[in-house]
Amino acid sequence: MTDIMWDSEIYEKAADAGTPGSGPAAPSLADPRQLRNVLGNFATGVVVLTYESGGEYYGITVNSFTSVSLDPPLVLVSMQRTSRSLTYLLERPFAVNVLGDDQLDTALHFAGKPQSRPVAWVEDGAAAPRIGGSPAYFQCTPWAGYDGGDHVLVLGRVVSHGQRDGTSPLLFYRGQWSALAQESDDPEGRRP
């Protein structure tokens, strides 16, 4: 691997491609809803970010989460600038709880649609509270926040993590909650 992270020739070609008459016209971005619908074609997992404030436990459902680095161990979540949780996530430990396909009620609860089933909180001493029964979790401390337009990109340094085998993730695809397709008995992976 070279020390060059971005080839200037590639950059110049990309810039030239955006000039009039250089190729097919890109679709208009005037309609943010249309862009959101197209972006919805990328299936994502669902996580709930949890934290403590004033002795109370809080959470927010997010589907924009990714790993960033193993050394140091960093993960990223994208938060709307208007989110009340944003300030807390930049100031204190938080947990990223990867939700399973049996935790839709938890996702809805922390997305602003309270559910009757109580949240199964797990306390880890000085770390952030987390949600019991999740397929995976990451305990994080704030690392950095970056401008992401109408969002803020929050990086967390992973200080501990865990997983539960034999579970399937909750997914979000085209504005709908979903789950992984069941495995087929067909050795070639064809669906009936």
Side-chain angles (χ1 to χ4, degrees):
M1 184 168 183
T2 68
D3 290 339
I4 300 172
M5 303 249 342
W6 184 257
D7 185 327
S8 61
E9 186 177 326
I10 293 171
Y11 176 78
E12 289 167 7
K13 286 181 182 177
D16 290 343
T19 58
S22 62
S28 169
L29 297 179
D31 182 1
R33 186 68 181 157
Q34 183 181 18
L35 175 60
R36 184 179 179 142
N37 289 344
V38 174
L39 290 169
N41 284 282
F42 181 68
T44 65
V46 180
V47 301
V48 170
L49 307 176
T50 52
Y51 58 94
E52 180 272 332
S53 177
E56 299 289 325
Y57 296 162
Y58 298 93
I60 183 168
T61 301
V62 177
N63 73 331
S64 184
F65 164 73
T66 190
S67 63
V68 174
S69 170
L70 295 177
D71 186 19
L74 300 174
V75 295
L76 178 146
V77 292
S78 179
M79 301 286 301
Q80 284 186 328
R81 286 189 180 279
T82 57
S83 170
R84 293 186 311 248
S85 299
L86 179 60
T87 301
Y88 297 104
L89 297 174
L90 294 171
E91 297 176 345
R92 65 195 67 216
F94 61 91
V96 178
N97 303 271
V98 177
L99 297 188
D101 61 3
D102 61 344
Q103 293 180 301
L104 176 58
D105 59 334
T106 302
L108 292 170
H109 181 79
F110 290 109
K113 298 176 183 169
Q115 303 294 298
S116 59
R117 188 164 84 167
V119 176
W121 293 106
V122 175
E123 298 176 2
D124 285 338
R130 60 184 177 84
I131 298 171
S134 296
Y137 71 88
F138 305 89
Q139 291 283 3
C140 301
T141 57
W143 178 266
Y146 296 100
D147 180 16
D150 59 2
H151 281 61
V152 173
L153 307 178
V154 177
L155 269 67
R157 182 183 180 112
V158 178
V159 295
S160 68
H161 55 84
Q163 71 180 33
R164 190 171 60 109
D165 294 332
T167 61
S168 295
L170 178 63
L171 301 178
F172 198 69
Y173 176 68
R174 290 189 173 180
Q176 302 291 318
W177 306 98
S178 188
L180 288 177
Q182 296 297 317
E183 290 186 29
S184 170
D185 291 334
D186 182 348
E188 295 187 27
R190 296 179 301 225
R191 292 193 175 163

